[in-house]
């Protein structure tokens, strides 16, 4: 990847609402708990002995959903910028390798979503402090629930990018994206088998070790990324 | 001769169908190459292969004496291109659109104003491209293709959808670029009349096959004038001329015979007069290049 390509990508997403979505996602997740705690704080505090832990778990309930939805929306936005007047053909006829074009798109999306995760941690922490819980702030738990889902959902991001860039019909990536979001939602009611990648952001697995989802997410994410990139390079430009 | 572009047996197959078959395109340095053919003849496919957007099924492409397969990025640094419909980002301004490409090309920022000046879009530098007319978008596309001072400019149907004044503007621009900077230009079109006045070399393609590739002058030679005669009792006159062993045919009230020397024509006229035919007109009629173009491409269609 080169710096110039990334800075030209940043220019392209101007006025398209990418930054707004990046902030809105994590804010929405915490805002749900704002409503929750504003209406029934007394009741919620009685539910557990560790207020911070219970609060963080509450926040994290919506994180996988927001994250995967964010991935679907941002990816489809980003590819729609090139599809709108088919700027792919102009982009690829410039002196750049197709691999670097693909990696730049992925890097941009991964960075925006990482920023969302940082903001999620920040918003969670700030509202937590505002709620003035008894007991110490659980920094490690807060860190885990802010960033583990991000790494665990990288395979979804790699898959969405692959399908969006090679599909002639954008209904395909959007349909798969929507199905993915539905899977993430239903997973919280009746968990799926561990091999389904849309389960991973929930950090659930049969061994009860969230770190497994993180490691799997990074490895499988890289694999899908590589397959997607090779396919993108192999194909003729639309 | 030094060729900037040279393809050998270039072939592209989509399933069963050959979009381009065994094409040998040769473009000498400094020429304006008119790449002509009806819609769907394989022009765009060829151009896409020249730019590395599509991989050939077989055959080779050399640009600046380098193999496109191996040196794609080096080659593309020296090429400017506009493929089919203009590509632009509607939500960005003209300046920002060029800035997107400029960053990738790594040329100085001043180039943006310079190319906008060339295509006469300086006044709308900071306007969003969304509101541009088709002609303006096309010109913006040309501006983008000039950002890196290309040695080879590839323009696919650059005048598509433009009004006559827009077409003339682009034609003048091409002329100017070729004469001032010695750029080699490949310009494709489905209309001969569009490139007739600027092209120095022509390639005519139909159904993926090259039917004619030579200098514009060679193509013009094919349009040598015929002699048209308007004579009383044309049918009888036609029989008479044919009986003299001269090739002739009758259409639109005229008898056409191939070009002959002045003496031969004089002799024939004398004979006709002697046999009491009344001669109203003797004219040299030129076949237009368009006729020749149509004939070349239609002969292929009939086969």
């Amino acid at each position: 990847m080169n710096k110039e390509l990334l800075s030209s990508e940043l220019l392209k997403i101007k006025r398209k609402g990418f930054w707004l979505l990046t902030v809105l996602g994590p804010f929405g997740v915490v805002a749900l708990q704002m409503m929750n705690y504003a209406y029934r704080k007394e009741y919620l505090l009685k539910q557990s002995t560790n207020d911070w832990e219970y609060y963080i778990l509450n926040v994290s309930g919506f994180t996988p959903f927001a994250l995967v939805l964010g991935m679907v929306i941002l990816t489809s936005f980003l590819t729609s910028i090139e599809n709108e007047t088919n700027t792919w053909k102009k982009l690829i006829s410039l002196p750049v390798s197709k691999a670097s074009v693909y990696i730049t798109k992925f890097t941009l999306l991964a960075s925006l979503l990482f920023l969302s995760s940082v903001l999620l941690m920040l918003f969670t922490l700030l509202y937590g402090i505002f709620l003035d819980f008894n007991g110490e702030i659980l920094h490690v738990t807060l860190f885990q629930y802010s960033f583990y889902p991000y790494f665990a959902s990288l395979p979804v991001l790699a898959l969405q990018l692959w399908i969006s860039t090679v599909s002639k019909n954008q209904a395909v990536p959007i349909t798969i994206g929507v199905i993915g979001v539905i899977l993430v939602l239903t997973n919280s009611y009746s968990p799926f088998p561990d091999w389904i990648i849309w389960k991973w952001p929930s950090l659930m697995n049969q061994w009860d070790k969230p770190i497994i989802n993180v490691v799997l997410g990074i490895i499988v994410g890289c694999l899908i990324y590589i397959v997607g990139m090779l396919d993108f390079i192999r194909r003729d430009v639309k | 001769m030094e060729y900037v572009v040279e393809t050998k047996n270039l072939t592209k197959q989509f399933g069963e169908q050959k979009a381009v078959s065994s094409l040998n395109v040769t473009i000498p340095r400094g020429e304006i190459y008119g790449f002509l053919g009806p819609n769907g003849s394989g022009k765009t496919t060829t151009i896409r292969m020249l730019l590395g957007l599509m991989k050939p099924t077989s055959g080779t492409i050399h640009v600046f004496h380098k193999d496109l397969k191996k040196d794609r990025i080096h080659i593309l640094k020296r090429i400017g291109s506009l493929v089919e419909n203009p590509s632009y980002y509607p939500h960005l301004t003209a300046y920002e659109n060029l800035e997107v490409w400029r960053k990738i090309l790594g040329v100085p920022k001043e180039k943006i104003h310079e190319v906008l000046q060339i295509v006469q879009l300086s006044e709308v530098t900071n306007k969003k491209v969304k509101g541009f007319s088709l002609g303006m978008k096309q010109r913006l596309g040309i501006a983008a293709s000039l950002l890196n001072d290309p040695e080879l400019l590839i323009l696919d149907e650059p005048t598509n959808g433009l009004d006559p004044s827009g077409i003339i503007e682009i034609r003048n621009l091409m002329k100017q670029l070729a004469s001032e900077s010695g750029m080699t230009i490949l310009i494709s079109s489905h209309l001969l009349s569009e490139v007739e006045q600027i092209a120095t070399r022509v390639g005519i393609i139909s159904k993926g096959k090259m039917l004619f590739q030579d200098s514009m002058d060679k193509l013009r030679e094919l349009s040598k004038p015929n002699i048209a005669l308007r004579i009383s009792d044309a049918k009888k006159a036609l029989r008479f001329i044919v009986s003299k062993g001269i090739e002739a045919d009758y259409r639109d009230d005229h008898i056409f015979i191939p070009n002959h020397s002045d003496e031969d024509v004089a002799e024939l006229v004398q004979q006709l007069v002697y046999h009491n035919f009344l001669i109203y007109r003797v004219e040299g009629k030129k076949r237009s290049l368009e006729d020749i173009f149509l004939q070349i491409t239609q002969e292929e269609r009939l086969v």
Side-chain angles (χ1 to χ4, degrees):
Chain A
M1 187 196 55
N2 58 46
K3 214 173 68 224
E4 290 73 27
L5 208 49
L6 187 62
S7 101
S8 99
E9 286 292 326
L10 283 172
L11 181 56
K12 280 184 222 171
I13 64 169
K14 217 172 150 179
R15 299 186 203 112
K16 279 282 180 183
F18 279 78
W19 298 106
L20 183 70
L21 271 175
T22 304
V23 179
L24 217 55
F27 180 77
V29 170
V30 178
L32 282 171
Q33 293 316 310
M34 289 182 182
M35 304 226 302
N36 199 5
Y37 277 82
Y39 280 110
R40 44 175 197 169
K41 189 177 174 191
E42 296 307 314
Y43 165 80
L44 290 169
L45 290 184
K46 277 184 214 146
Q47 299 303 306
S48 80
T49 49
N50 191 333
D51 294 342
W52 265 104
E53 187 180 29
Y54 189 69
Y55 162 70
I56 291 171
L57 279 176
N58 270 327
V59 172
S60 73
F62 289 97
T63 308
F65 164 72
L67 203 52
V68 170
L69 187 64
M71 285 177 172
V72 173
I73 294 175
L74 290 184
T75 310
S76 108
F77 265 31
L78 192 67
T79 43
S80 79
I81 291 178
E82 307 290 0
N83 285 332
E84 195 170 355
T85 64
N86 193 6
T87 30
W88 289 112
K89 61 185 194 302
K90 179 72 191 170
L91 186 57
I92 306 296
S93 64
L94 294 177
V96 284
S97 68
K98 285 172 96 175
S100 64
V101 168
Y102 196 82
I103 198 170
T104 310
K105 298 255 177 230
F106 186 82
T107 309
L108 178 67
L109 290 168
S111 309
L112 286 171
L113 288 155
F114 187 79
L115 181 63
S116 283
S117 302
V118 173
L119 290 173
L120 176 67
M121 187 171 76
L122 212 66
F123 293 155
T124 313
L125 181 68
L126 289 175
Y127 188 61
I129 292 171
F130 170 79
L131 287 172
D132 197 19
F133 294 128
N134 293 322
E136 283 201 11
I137 299 170
L138 301 172
H139 293 289
V140 177
T141 315
L142 180 62
F143 177 84
Q144 286 179 346
Y145 280 98
S146 300
F147 292 105
Y148 280 16
Y150 168 78
F151 290 108
S153 57
L154 284 177
V156 177
L157 179 63
L159 186 70
Q160 287 298 139
L161 181 64
W162 176 16
I163 300 168
S164 307
T165 47
V166 301
S167 294
K168 288 211 170 69
N169 184 348
Q170 286 305 303
V172 179
I174 290 170
T175 307
I176 290 174
V178 169
I179 293 172
V181 172
I182 294 171
L183 288 179
V184 171
L185 278 175
T186 46
N187 181 63
S188 46
Y189 299 106
S190 57
F192 292 116
D194 282 338
W195 58 265
I196 292 187
I197 57 169
W198 289 276
K199 183 191 182 180
W200 299 356
S202 71
L203 304 183
M204 288 189 268
N205 59 48
Q206 55 176 313
W207 307 278
D208 257 337
K209 291 217 166 62
I211 192 73
I212 292 179
N213 291 22
V214 172
V215 175
L216 271 178
I218 293 172
I219 294 172
V220 176
C222 285
L223 285 177
I224 298 179
Y225 167 80
I226 289 167
V227 174
M229 184 177 74
L230 291 177
D231 188 39
F232 178 71
I233 293 172
R234 182 186 63 87
R235 282 173 193 252
D236 287 339
V237 176
K238 282 180 251 182
Chain B
M1 207 183 292
E2 195 207 346
Y3 292 127
V4 172
V5 177
E6 189 171 17
T7 73
K8 285 206 179 100
N9 294 320
L10 189 63
T11 301
K12 179 72 185 182
Q13 208 162 342
F14 297 116
E16 289 284 285
Q17 199 198 346
K18 273 188 183 168
V20 168
S21 81
S22 300
L23 213 59
N24 297 309
V25 178
T26 47
I27 308 180
R29 184 172 288 281
E31 303 253 3
I32 301 183
Y33 185 97
F35 195 32
L36 296 165
N39 292 327
S41 53
K43 298 187 299 286
T44 298
T45 306
T46 308
I47 286 175
R48 281 171 170 258
M49 285 193 281
L50 291 180
L51 292 169
L53 294 173
M54 274 182 180
K55 292 181 188 75
T57 310
S58 63
T60 59
I61 301 171
H62 281 82
V63 184
F64 307 121
H65 302 289
K66 286 181 188 144
D67 190 344
L68 185 72
K69 229 192 249 165
K70 290 178 203 138
D71 282 314
R72 188 179 149 265
I73 291 182
H74 278 110
I75 291 170
L76 289 178
K77 269 188 191 154
R78 301 160 68 183
I79 294 183
S81 68
L82 175 72
V83 181
E84 279 185 306
N85 318 310
S87 302
Y88 55 92
Y89 300 105
H91 63 291
L92 299 179
T93 65
Y95 184 89
E96 287 165 340
N97 263 280
L98 293 175
E99 177 68 2
V100 165
W101 309 126
R102 185 204 67 83
K103 280 174 192 279
I104 299 174
L105 290 164
V107 295
K109 285 199 173 191
E110 296 81 67
K111 276 311 280 187
I112 295 181
H113 291 294
E114 196 184 315
V115 293
L116 281 172
Q117 185 87 49
I118 293 176
V119 299
Q120 294 169 12
L121 284 178
S122 299
E123 278 167 35
V124 290
T125 303
N126 293 314
K127 292 239 165 66
K128 282 190 196 158
V129 180
K130 207 183 287 177
F132 281 19
S133 69
L134 183 60
M136 290 161 85
K137 286 170 183 164
Q138 199 74 337
R139 277 186 281 156
L140 183 68
I142 293 177
S145 68
L146 296 175
L147 272 175
N148 58 333
D149 286 321
E151 290 167 56
L152 170 64
L153 188 61
I154 296 181
L155 302 172
D156 187 17
E157 307 255 358
T159 52
N160 232 355
L162 295 190
D163 53 22
S165 71
I167 294 175
I168 293 168
E169 237 172 71
I170 287 188
R171 198 183 285 156
N172 291 339
L173 183 61
M174 298 300 103
K175 260 191 216 165
Q176 186 192 334
L177 288 171
S179 62
E180 281 174 16
S181 54
M183 222 177 254
T184 308
I185 302 177
L186 166 65
I187 177 167
S188 86
S189 178
H190 56 277
L191 295 172
L192 177 65
S193 55
E194 246 170 40
V195 298
E196 189 186 333
Q197 296 170 34
I198 51 168
T200 52
R201 191 175 165 85
V202 214
I204 298 177
I205 171 178
S206 178
K207 284 185 166 177
K209 289 195 190 103
M210 189 69 88
L211 305 177
F212 177 93
Q213 181 174 244
D214 213 319
S215 67
M216 194 70 207
D217 294 337
K218 278 271 163 55
L219 186 66
R220 287 211 179 89
E221 266 176 37
L222 290 177
S223 67
K224 273 189 199 151
N226 280 343
I227 307 285
L229 300 155
R230 203 150 76 79
I231 308 173
S232 64
D233 203 354
K235 281 190 182 142
K236 205 171 151 203
L238 182 68
R239 274 199 299 276
F240 174 78
I241 295 171
V242 173
S243 74
K244 293 273 167 206
I246 298 169
E247 213 182 297
D249 67 305
Y250 176 76
R251 61 190 137 90
D252 308 333
D253 245 6
H254 285 79
I255 294 169
F256 288 88
I257 58 169
N259 201 15
H260 285 278
S261 66
D262 290 350
E263 290 76 25
D264 290 346
V265 176
E267 159 99 30
L268 180 66
V269 171
Q270 207 169 32
Q271 292 272 344
L272 286 166
V273 173
Y274 185 72
H275 285 86
N276 292 325
F277 291 103
L278 299 176
I279 299 177
Y280 307 133
R281 297 271 193 288
V282 180
E283 302 166 278
K285 277 236 163 124
K286 233 182 155 178
R287 281 164 79 202
S288 76
L289 282 178
E290 211 63 55
D291 285 343
I292 294 166
F293 176 52
L294 270 178
Q295 194 195 329
I296 292 175
T297 51
Q298 261 160 10
E299 268 168 18
E300 174 64 17
R301 253 178 241 181
L302 294 175
V303 174

